[in-house]
Amino acid sequence: MASRTEPSGCSGRGGGGAPGILPLPLLLLLLAAAALIPRGGGQNLVTEDVTVVEGEVATISCRVKNSDDSVIQLLNPNRQTIYFKDFRPLKDSRFQLVNFSNSELRVSLTNVSISDEGRYFCQLYTDPPQEIYTTMTVLVPPRNLMIDIQKDIATEGEEIELNCTAMASRPATTIRWFKGNKELLGKSEVEQWSDMFTVTSQLLLTVGREDDGVPVICLVDHPAVKDLQTQRYLEVMYKPQVRVLQNYPLQGLTREGEPLELTCTAFGKPQPTEVKWLRVDDEMPQHVVVSGSNLLINNLNKTDNGTYRCEASNAVGKSSADYMLFVYDTTATTEPAVHDSRAGDEGSIRAVDHAVIGGVVAVVVFAMLCLLIILGRYFARHKGTYFTHEAKGADDAADADTAIINAEGGQNNSEEKKEYFI
């Protein structure tokens, strides 16, 4: 029977220190660890991620540190070779060679579209080959930015709705609202269609007369675009603002026998269609001349005293302003009353008579003096005097013992300490 000879060093049984065969799991582990050790003279591939706006140019760079003239190639997300060294196997002419050397392969891609997004692979033909990838992200700016307003013409105090829509962006855009220079808060909704996003922001705004002609701005925040905005100008209708101006006398008192001329100014949107004068709680004197917005009294007298009102109206509403007239004697030298007219629903005007204020102040001062006098008399009546009567007879005693006896007896007969009040 033939015998089988095992080669030296391959026996599973050890003797004499000969190594045996390694277990299979340990062998696989060593092989995997060896595969992770970079070779090729310490060369390293370097690249960066790329972010590009749709329609623009992207540049992909594969660089080698410590190059030893190994071959570099670039592959697309489908792992098709775009460039092998300086040769382009791919027939997509949008890829163009920018730079090729032993340490870099740089390629540009024009007219980038969303379909170009993904991972691009840089490969270095070393032993074993090295590979890294760069991610291309394609941004799509919003299109057709527009503001839709619920009512083109609003009335003061009314709440209106505005909607701003930014269509087909990637990623979703952020919408901000401004009224003039003041930022307002809107409510946004996002809709996704495939890889694109449409954002609509709603703004509820209560308008006043001060908002007429003010722009409302819809501004977009998006990484693919800067300063993209659209705006609409508010048109607000409001009732008239009314004021009464005293043309004559410009200063001084309104005295008997002198003229008085008033002018009513009214401004609103739309412009007031009617301006009229009336006398509050009384009939207009017959000698008063009213001509449009002007009121003239040629010869003032005491019967003209009262409140004169100017009213103006338009399609939105009616407003008024009052003028309070007080006619002084021809000899009056007191400071004139202040005639102040202000516009409003009732437009109430108050005249302040300085003489009346002075009288009120005098009465208050007199009352305080009287109060001080009464308080003085009250405290004076309750002021007291304290009297004491010490022991009598001690001064006439011959010696100390006699003085003590006389003092004790005197105290029995003397009056107690008393207080007398005046």
Side-chain angles (χ1 to χ4, degrees):
M1 183 173 179
S3 63
R4 185 176 62 181
T5 305
E6 293 183 354
S8 175
C10 294
S11 173
R13 294 176 298 275
I21 298 176
L22 293 175
L24 181 60
L26 181 58
L27 181 62
L28 293 176
L29 182 61
L30 291 174
L31 291 175
L36 294 175
I37 299 174
R39 300 183 183 180
Q43 300 179 96
N44 293 306
L45 275 171
V46 179
T47 189
E48 295 90 19
D49 290 339
V50 178
T51 299
V52 61
V53 177
E54 183 184 36
E56 296 185 359
V57 179
T59 301
I60 305 172
S61 176
C62 300
R63 299 188 304 278
V64 182
K65 291 184 178 180
N66 305 320
S67 174
D68 65 351
D69 299 336
S70 297
V71 175
I72 310 171
Q73 74 168 351
L74 177 65
L75 290 77
N76 67 11
N78 296 324
R79 303 196 72 86
Q80 297 171 323
T81 301
I82 301 173
Y83 268 92
F84 182 84
K85 301 180 64 174
D86 58 350
F87 174 69
R88 176 167 57 85
L90 196 66
K91 294 183 179 181
D92 190 343
S93 61
R94 296 180 304 148
F95 290 97
Q96 295 294 323
L97 184 66
V98 177
N99 181 50
F100 173 72
S101 67
N102 292 334
S103 59
E104 183 184 33
L105 173 62
R106 191 190 314 164
V107 177
S108 67
L109 172 61
T110 59
N111 194 22
V112 176
S113 66
I114 296 178
S115 61
D116 296 320
E117 190 173 76
R119 290 181 175 180
Y120 289 76
F121 301 91
C122 296
Q123 286 187 346
L124 182 65
Y125 279 85
T126 58
D127 183 19
Q130 295 184 43
E131 179 180 285
I132 60 174
Y133 65 86
T134 176
T135 301
M136 180 183 294
T137 302
V138 180
L139 306 177
V140 181
R143 298 178 176 86
N144 301 326
L145 183 66
M146 58 183 180
I147 295 179
D148 178 43
I149 190 168
Q150 183 184 26
K151 296 181 67 175
D152 292 331
I153 302 176
T155 304
E156 63 174 336
E158 185 178 9
E159 184 181 68
I160 61 173
E161 178 183 331
L162 299 93
N163 290 281
C164 182
T165 303
M167 301 180 65
S169 67
R170 190 169 187 265
T173 188
T174 299
I175 293 179
R176 299 167 64 191
W177 288 98
F178 292 86
K179 185 181 72 172
N181 295 324
K182 181 181 179 182
E183 186 167 2
L184 306 175
L185 182 62
K187 181 180 179 181
S188 296
E189 292 184 358
V190 180
E191 296 182 11
Q192 182 174 0
W193 300 90
S194 184
D195 293 333
M196 310 298 284
F197 299 88
T198 295
V199 180
T200 301
S201 181
Q202 180 190 68
L203 176 67
L204 298 177
L205 180 63
T206 301
V207 296
R209 63 182 62 197
E210 68 279 0
D211 296 322
D212 184 48
V214 175
V216 174
I217 301 168
C218 173
L219 177 68
V220 164
D221 277 344
H222 194 274
V225 66
K226 292 182 178 180
D227 301 326
L228 177 61
Q229 64 181 41
T230 185
Q231 64 183 20
R232 290 284 297 269
Y233 287 89
L234 296 173
E235 187 170 356
V236 182
M237 312 290 282
Y238 52 90
K239 59 187 178 182
Q241 295 174 306
V242 184
R243 293 184 61 195
V244 174
L245 304 177
Q246 180 177 310
N247 298 330
Y248 187 87
L250 293 178
Q251 293 180 347
L253 300 176
T254 48
R255 294 186 175 90
E256 279 188 292
E258 295 183 354
L260 171 68
E261 183 179 353
L262 304 176
T263 297
C264 178
T265 62
F267 176 78
K269 189 172 183 179
Q271 275 296 103
T273 55
E274 182 182 9
V275 177
K276 66 179 182 178
W277 284 95
L278 57 90
R279 189 178 184 184
V280 179
D281 298 331
D282 205 345
E283 293 183 358
M284 186 73 78
Q286 293 184 355
H287 59 279
V288 173
V289 179
V290 176
S291 176
S293 61
N294 295 324
L295 182 146
L296 175 64
I297 303 177
N298 286 312
N299 190 5
L300 289 172
N301 59 66
K302 296 284 188 177
T303 61
D304 296 328
N305 288 342
T307 301
Y308 294 81
R309 176 172 295 169
C310 173
E311 290 184 347
S313 61
N314 60 9
V316 180
K318 180 172 68 174
S319 299
S320 65
D322 291 350
Y323 177 89
M324 182 175 288
L325 174 62
F326 184 82
V327 180
Y328 290 86
D329 295 332
T330 54
T331 58
T333 58
T334 315
E335 286 294 324
V338 178
H339 298 285
D340 182 18
S341 63
R342 299 172 184 147
D345 291 338
E346 296 298 332
S348 179
I349 309 302
R350 297 292 179 266
V352 181
D353 194 333
H354 291 207
V356 174
I357 295 176
V360 172
V361 172
V363 171
V364 172
V365 172
F366 178 75
M368 293 181 65
L369 289 174
C370 292
L371 180 62
L372 290 175
I373 292 172
I374 293 172
L375 290 174
R377 290 180 59 85
Y378 174 80
F379 287 117
R381 290 178 61 87
H382 289 78
K383 182 177 181 183
T385 303
Y386 193 82
F387 293 94
T388 60
H389 296 272
E390 300 298 337
K392 297 178 181 179
D395 295 337
D396 299 332
D399 50 31
D401 294 334
T402 306
I404 293 174
I405 294 171
N406 291 340
E408 291 178 351
Q411 286 181 353
N412 294 332
N413 297 326
S414 65
E415 298 177 359
E416 298 293 332
K417 294 180 181 180
K418 298 181 180 178
E419 284 186 342
Y420 295 88
F421 296 93
I422 298 175

